[in-house]
Amino acid sequence: EFQFYMVLWLILPFTDGAAIIYELITQPYIVPLMAPIAKAAEGWLTTLALTIVNASHAWFVIFFFMALPTVLKRFAVITTGTAYPVAATIVAIAADNDGIADDKWLTYWSCFSLLYLGMISAERFVGKVPGLYTLCLACVLYLIL
């Protein structure tokens, strides 16, 4: 019962318990102790933590993609290769810039068409190639970046 009321005290706006704890405990006592540690570990520790988090997200997406049926993998590759680039191409054409973005997306569409032709050829002539759609999705994401 105490935990319930404590949580209510912390999160309800009219009691504002979290702000009281921050002003009376965290700000005067904990922040001065932790600031030098955070400043010393800012560069390498942040990079390490972000690398671990991003790698775990990438592995999750890869394993999810690999578990999809072949039809959905093909759909994901084609959708990924067209949805965002169409929007980015329209924005690049509509924006008044020096033409660098236009050249980037023109190059993207040329490379994507070659990749798509290669994917269709591999599907038709070689048959079911293991990892074909994973490789195609990786190529499409590389082209988008």
Side-chain angles (χ1 to χ4, degrees):
E1 201 174 296
F2 173 74
Q3 290 174 341
F4 175 74
Y5 291 120
M6 182 68 179
V7 169
L8 285 179
W9 179 74
L10 285 171
I11 64 172
L12 288 177
F14 57 87
T15 57
D16 208 13
I20 293 171
I21 289 176
Y22 181 78
E23 290 171 1
L24 296 178
I25 298 171
T26 305
Q27 187 67 27
Y29 300 112
I30 297 175
V31 170
L33 293 174
M34 297 305 291
I37 297 170
K39 187 171 177 100
E42 184 176 313
W44 66 272
L45 190 60
T46 304
T47 304
L48 178 67
L50 289 176
T51 302
I52 291 170
V53 168
N54 289 336
S56 66
H57 288 134
W59 280 110
F60 175 76
V61 169
I62 289 169
F63 284 127
F64 177 75
F65 181 76
M66 290 171 46
L68 290 175
T70 305
V71 174
L72 290 178
K73 286 181 186 178
R74 186 175 197 282
F75 179 74
V77 169
I78 294 170
T79 304
T80 303
T82 56
Y84 173 73
V86 164
T89 303
I90 292 170
V91 169
I93 291 171
D96 292 330
N97 55 15
D98 56 359
I100 295 173
D102 297 344
D103 293 343
K104 174 190 174 191
W105 289 111
L106 182 61
T107 305
Y108 169 81
W109 286 113
S110 302
C111 294
F112 180 71
S113 65
L114 292 174
L115 177 69
Y116 186 68
L117 288 174
M119 184 176 74
I120 290 173
S121 300
E123 288 173 342
R124 304 229 188 237
F125 299 119
V126 180
K128 186 176 179 180
V129 179
L132 172 69
Y133 295 113
T134 307
L135 178 66
C136 288
L137 184 65
C139 290
V140 165
L141 292 176
Y142 175 76
L143 287 174
I144 289 175
L145 295 176

